[in-house]
Amino acid sequence: MDGTIGETFGKRFVMRQAFNPQEMVDCLQRQINVKQEPMQEQTFYWTLSDLAESVDGEWLSSLVADEEIYFDSISTDTRTLQPGALYIALKGENFDGHNFVAEAVKQGAVAVLVSSEVACPVPGVLVEDTRIALGKFAQWHRRQMPVKKLIAVTGSNGKTTTKSILLSLFSQIGRTLATEGNLNNDYGVPRTLLNLRPGHEYAIIEMGANHPKEIEYLTLMAEPDIALLNNASGAHLEGFGSLQGVIETKGEIFLGLNRLHSPGTAVINTDSPGYEYWQASLQDLGIKDVRRFGEALQADVRLQNFSSADGMIEFELVIGGQTHAVSMTVMGKHNAMNAAACVAVGLAAGLNWEEIRPGLINFNGVSGRLQKTKIGQGWLIDDSYNANPESVKAAIDTLAALPGASVLCFGAMAELGETTRQAHEEVAAYAFQKGIKRLYVLGEAARVMPDIFGEGANWFENHESMTEAVTADIHNQTLQNVLVKGSRSARMEKVVQGVLQSLDSVKNHNE
């Protein structure tokens, strides 16, 4: 009977309309197949009872059975759903996953998690909000996994690079899970946590935010053993309102410490805006194990004697009175700072220098983040993944340190709110002050930049015209180095691809 709630085998079910007999047989067979799967060695699975209990949901079913339902993966997208999965119907401003429940079942989903009563031939769980339920299930799962250390990472700049260095570092000593791509929000973090398996010894969870309380939600879900706050700067000001808003939101990451295991460890940057605020907050939270990195004398991992040459960086880290020399095949002083942060995390996890060092020297960078390609006598530097005022200035510093004339190909920054015009003007002025020869910009917010920079600056209507101008400069040997930078919305990787394709075409023609 549609809409009635009954007690069946001790579980609450919402009964749905009947389906044709063959459809019900097919659904039952899929469930039988998944039930048999857990008997195989090394196979990981959850039960629908686990899900219902962890999210405090009601059972939703048209197939009443006294056997447990197993699922071995989670999917929120029918296009990538694998047979045997739980389908979670998420809702957003412009989408509703409930519209795809039938397709999910067709693709092989053996159960569903929904927030609306839908006609469905497979069992499921009904909750108020599937996004919140996803987080609750992820937290429950994280608590079941015997991971040695779960490390949470946030910051205005360098989150993904730092996460990747940590992955390189911890992978040298044990099986390590890390956030993939940019899955660092309230949908991505729970899905990453649900990828934890009993064999994982370490987990690196990246956490991003564009509004207050978002980091708090994520860290209370993940309950980290170590929380790294890399830095705070004027990123996403549209959502935070001010730099202080950024500082406070990033500091929320420490709220998750000491919840599952104690004592938790906080890792903070002595050189970043917000350092004193975080120090006071940690004291208020009763978090006593604090590791500091930076160039300041009070840093536990202190960076000194930085230099760069031929696409590499060299620096020293002073730890406990001992000095360690480091060479890395990446660019930029900020990457030396990222490395210092990772060393502080490694030490907090109980590793020694000999265990940490291989992870640094074997790290080769992250796609779209200061990735270098040799072009003639200079370099093409792809830093196109994202941009905010501080990360742009750091990239300009890297460009300015290279020998030869340089151009900054820049796509407009997003999410800066009322500071948009001022931020773009400041970047233009900074590029000029650092001796950058030319400034090529794209996007409406960047229109003001050529007037500030002066001679050698141009605004372009599209990626193609900018690519043509840069390629001509390289062929004419008027420029040796090219830095491509911009917000994700600017899609500046198109310029990188266009320049490299043009140079390859000329090279092949000459050969």
Side-chain angles (χ1 to χ4, degrees), residues 274-479:
Y275 171 68
E276 298 295 339
Y277 174 86
W278 299 325
Q279 285 269 80
S281 295
L282 290 168
Q283 187 173 0
D284 291 341
L285 290 170
I287 297 170
K288 297 179 180 179
D289 191 1
V290 182
R291 310 296 176 96
R292 302 163 182 83
F293 68 94
E295 293 185 281
L297 291 176
Q298 68 265 40
D300 302 297
V301 179
R302 181 159 55 87
L303 172 66
Q304 67 179 22
N305 295 332
F306 172 85
S307 64
S308 62
D310 198 28
M312 295 185 63
I313 58 175
E314 295 183 347
F315 54 93
E316 293 177 342
L317 296 176
V318 181
I319 306 167
Q322 295 189 337
T323 301
H324 303 276
V326 182
S327 296
M328 298 179 69
T329 56
V330 293
M331 305 180 77
K333 186 176 181 179
H334 61 286
N335 274 326
M337 190 68 80
N338 289 336
C342 294
V343 171
V345 170
L347 294 171
L351 309 185
N352 60 44
W353 175 251
E354 292 307 316
E355 292 172 313
I356 292 171
R357 182 175 176 274
L360 300 181
I361 62 178
N362 292 330
F363 179 70
N364 295 313
V366 180
S367 177
R369 293 168 172 85
L370 284 185
Q371 288 289 285
K372 57 189 186 296
T373 302
K374 194 70 176 176
I375 52 170
Q377 300 301 309
W379 297 94
L380 171 62
I381 304 171
D382 177 6
D383 201 25
S384 60
Y385 184 78
N386 216 336
N388 62 55
E390 292 305 313
S391 71
V392 177
K393 291 175 182 177
I396 290 172
D397 289 342
T398 301
L399 181 65
L402 297 174
S406 299
V407 59
L408 168 60
C409 295
F410 184 67
M413 296 177 287
E415 298 183 53
L416 295 175
E418 295 179 356
T419 67
T420 297
R421 182 184 180 94
Q422 177 185 347
H424 286 84
E425 290 177 346
E426 288 179 357
V427 166
Y430 192 80
F432 179 80
Q433 292 165 9
K434 287 293 181 176
I436 306 305
K437 185 174 181 180
R438 292 187 180 174
L439 173 65
Y440 294 164
V441 299
L442 180 73
E444 286 302 315
R447 275 186 180 270
V448 301
M449 297 178 73
D451 291 337
I452 302 299
F453 187 90
E455 185 179 354
N458 287 292
W459 179 85
F460 293 88
E461 291 186 0
N462 52 55
H463 299 90
E464 292 75 20
S465 57
M466 180 184 285
T467 300
E468 290 176 8
V470 174
T471 304
D473 288 333
I474 296 171
H475 288 324
N476 296 334
Q477 297 184 345
T478 56
L479 294 171

Side-chain angles (χ1 to χ4, degrees), residues 249 262 356 497:
T249 299
S262 183
I356 292 171
Q497 295 161 2

Side-chain angles (χ1 to χ4, degrees), residues 19-249:
F19 284 78
N20 69 66
Q22 186 58 50
E23 186 175 20
M24 296 183 72
V25 169
D26 292 343
C27 292
L28 282 170
Q29 186 59 54
R30 275 200 296 272
Q31 293 162 24
I32 291 170
N33 291 340
V34 176
K35 289 173 189 175
Q36 292 173 345
E37 188 73 13
M39 298 301 103
Q40 300 178 15
E41 189 177 358
Q42 302 298 321
T43 300
F44 185 87
Y45 67 96
W46 297 275
T47 69
L48 208 58
S49 295
D50 293 336
L51 175 68
E53 184 176 352
S54 65
V55 304
D56 192 27
E58 295 181 351
W59 285 74
L60 168 70
S61 181
S62 61
L63 300 175
V64 180
D66 58 354
E67 292 186 75
E68 183 62 89
I69 303 300
Y70 299 89
F71 56 96
D72 56 13
S73 61
I74 305 288
S75 177
T76 59
D77 188 338
T78 58
R79 294 169 295 183
T80 56
L81 186 148
Q82 298 297 313
L86 167 75
Y87 174 67
I88 302 177
L90 296 174
K91 281 186 178 181
E93 290 183 7
N94 302 311
F95 67 93
D96 186 350
H98 294 80
N99 297 329
F100 301 97
V101 167
E103 179 62 25
V105 174
K106 182 179 178 181
Q107 295 298 326
V110 296
V112 296
L113 177 65
V114 294
S115 59
S116 301
E117 295 184 7
V118 294
C120 182
V122 299
V125 174
L126 178 68
V127 293
E128 248 185 70
D129 187 323
T130 49
R131 180 185 72 90
I132 298 299
L134 173 61
K136 287 182 177 180
F137 188 49
Q139 182 190 53
W140 174 88
H141 175 74
R142 181 266 188 271
R143 290 177 174 179
Q144 314 309 308
M145 295 297 103
V147 61
K148 290 180 180 178
K149 296 291 182 184
L150 189 145
I151 300 150
V153 177
T154 196
S156 296
N157 302 307
K159 288 187 298 295
T160 301
T161 299
T162 303
K163 171 206 68 180
S164 300
I165 297 175
L166 288 170
L167 176 60
S168 174
L169 191 160
F170 282 96
S171 293
Q172 306 288 324
I173 60 169
R175 187 179 173 194
T176 304
L177 172 74
T179 300
E180 294 184 1
N182 62 345
L183 295 176
N184 62 9
N185 61 9
D186 53 349
Y187 294 120
V189 168
R191 280 183 280 189
T192 300
L193 291 173
L194 288 166
N195 284 331
L196 276 170
R197 296 294 178 264
H200 284 122
E201 296 181 76
Y202 301 97
I204 319 297
I205 310 298
E206 180 182 336
M207 297 180 180
N210 54 24
H211 59 266
K213 300 298 181 181
E214 190 170 3
I215 296 293
E216 177 179 357
Y217 175 73
L218 299 177
T219 192
L220 293 179
M221 179 196 306
E223 298 179 319
D225 303 296
I226 302 170
L228 165 62
L229 204 173
N230 208 25
N231 51 53
S233 68
H236 303 295
L237 287 181
E238 190 173 39
F240 296 120
S242 66
L243 176 56
Q244 184 60 31
V246 176
I247 290 168
E248 293 175 6
T249 299

